[in-house]
Amino acid sequence: MLRLTPLLTLLALPIALTRLICYYKRQRLRSHILSPVPEAIVLSAFPILWFFGFLYYTEVPSVLLVVWTVVAALQGDHWLAALVCYVIRMYSSEVVDDHS
């Protein structure tokens, strides 16, 4: 079960990256949610991400949550971005380290 979390988030990362790429390129999103743009697939298949994704189980979910936060903030959904930031803060210590 511990290795299933990074696998599922690695598979969900192209969907989040598609929203981010389409926003910056000012393109319309594809009609089907499970059809990411090729750039998102290439970025999510970055070898370092896949290596560390299965080495440390919290790295990839943290990347996915950060991308989701940026997408939500860019789309004007600031409450969702704040909620996801809170989840990041509670979930992972490598993104935000308070040294306390």
Side-chain angles (χ1 to χ4, degrees), residues 9-95:
T9 53
L10 279 168
L11 294 175
L13 191 59
I15 298 168
L17 285 174
T18 296
R19 293 183 159 283
L20 189 64
I21 291 169
C22 287
Y23 178 82
Y24 277 114
K25 286 187 166 185
R26 289 179 170 57
Q27 295 176 347
R28 301 190 93 200
L29 286 173
R30 295 191 179 194
S31 61
H32 197 264
I33 191 169
L34 296 177
S35 62
V37 294
E39 292 94 350
I41 295 171
V42 169
L43 286 174
S44 64
F46 196 58
I48 294 174
L49 188 63
W50 278 84
F51 174 74
F52 284 111
F54 292 108
L55 187 61
Y56 303 110
Y57 67 96
T58 59
E59 294 293 325
V60 182
S62 299
V63 170
L64 179 67
L65 289 173
V66 167
V67 169
W68 191 18
T69 302
V70 171
V71 168
L74 288 174
Q75 292 178 347
D77 200 357
H78 300 291
W79 283 102
L80 179 63
L83 180 67
V84 175
C85 279
Y86 181 74
V87 170
I88 291 171
R89 176 72 174 101
M90 293 295 127
Y91 178 73
S92 61
S93 61
E94 66 268 355
V95 174

